[in-house]
Each structure stands twice: as structure tokens, then as C-alpha cells.
Amino acid sequence: MGGMHMPRTGERDGYLVIDWSFAWDPSLADLLAVAPELVLGRRVAIVSCDSGAYPPSAAELEAGWCREGDVTLSAGVASIDCLPTPGFDEWYVFDDAPAVFPVRQHVNVFGFSVLAENDEARAFWEQVRQCRPRHVLGTGTPHMFVVTRDGGLFERLRNRELLEDTDD
């Protein structure tokens, strides 16, 4: 599939970063299709879902999801299909319920990049330092990013072709 630029990579605050830039709005569904291990068995704090708060359903609440302000925390993720991926999503992935919840959305700022040197990126990294998630996953326009402390996962994703064209 065309329209993707080579990913930029970096390191900050003990995290490894991959930042892809696309000619269209990317989706975390594409990322999870090639790397479901990012979320399986973990809890996902959904800070942004389609540019806003994610309202959990009654069934999700019954299954152990919860709300903390505008942030929805999943129960342990058993399937990637249980997570909403409409675009303009920002997720903080934890092994268990976090002591400090992320509160601010960043992916809704046009052109937001975790590798930028601007006020928005500085606010993002301050939130990461406070919350200490295992990963942060996000999609906006035109960026999709993975921020992770897992060096092996970073290497696999950095060398993986995302959104490969599967049309025959």
C-alpha cells in the first residue's frame, strides 16, 4: 500500500520510539494486526478514541472495564477485537491498573509527533514520565507511533512492513 514514509526512530526517557508518517489517517487496527502482543494480556487506558473519550458499554463495565475521568481502562485484553480503533486513538498500555492515569490527549493536534521538539511533545513526555506505561500507541494525522520499553518488540516493529498490500 502506498503513502507510508519510512519510520523515524528515537529514544527518550528510557523508551524507544517508532513514528510512521502516512498520506492518510492511520489506524491502530493495522498496527495490532502485525503486533497483537502490544496489548494482549495487558490493560489499555484509552485516552482518545475517535478524538474523544471512549464510553465503555454496560457489557465492558461488567467485564471489568472502568472509567477514571475521561479515560477508560480496559480489563485484561484477551483479543485485539475488543479494542476500538476508529482513528485519532491514544492508548497507554499497562501490565495492571496504573497508579497514575494519563489525562491529556495529544493525537488530536494536527501533525503531532512524539519525536517533535515542541510544547505538545514535551507535554506528552511529561505525561509518560508520570504514568510509566509499558507502551503508548497513537494515531493522528498523519502520524502513528509506538513508544515502548521493550527493545525486542521495538526491533521487530522497526523492521516490519506495516500495512502491506495484500491484494492479489
Side-chain angles (χ1 to χ4, degrees):
M1 212 173 257
M4 181 182 75
H5 301 287
M6 288 301 296
R8 294 187 321 143
T9 59
E11 188 171 353
R12 190 174 293 178
D13 295 329
Y15 286 87
L16 299 162
V17 178
I18 306 172
D19 183 304
W20 295 271
S21 182
F22 295 84
W24 70 92
D25 296 343
S27 169
L28 288 181
D30 297 319
L31 178 62
L32 295 180
V34 297
E37 66 273 22
L38 284 163
V39 296
L40 290 178
R42 309 208 188 285
R43 299 193 70 182
V44 176
I46 302 172
V47 176
S48 178
C49 177
D50 198 16
S51 300
Y54 176 70
S57 68
E60 287 168 336
L61 292 170
E62 177 105 0
W65 291 51
C66 60
R67 288 291 296 268
E68 179 76 25
D70 285 337
V71 177
T72 297
L73 182 67
S74 75
V77 175
S79 166
I80 61 173
D81 297 331
C82 77
L83 295 168
T85 56
F88 290 90
D89 301 314
E90 186 171 340
W91 299 351
Y92 291 69
V93 182
F94 298 92
D95 292 330
D96 208 336
V100 177
F101 275 78
V103 294
R104 183 172 171 185
Q105 302 174 357
H106 298 89
V107 297
N108 299 318
V109 173
F110 181 80
F112 173 72
S113 170
V114 296
L115 293 173
E117 294 295 335
N118 57 34
D119 289 344
E120 195 66 35
R122 282 188 279 281
F124 170 83
W125 286 104
E126 180 59 31
Q127 181 161 273
V128 169
R129 282 190 296 277
Q130 290 172 0
C131 299
R132 299 302 300 165
R134 174 176 287 270
H135 318 297
V136 185
L137 315 177
T139 58
T141 297
H143 295 273
M144 177 166 63
F145 62 86
V146 172
V147 170
T148 184
R149 290 186 270 146
D150 184 330
L153 180 62
F154 170 81
E155 288 301 326
R156 287 192 306 279
L157 283 174
R158 183 174 69 163
N159 297 315
R160 190 85 184 247
E161 182 68 30
L162 285 184
L163 306 174
E164 293 179 38
D165 194 347
T166 55
D167 294 336
D168 292 340

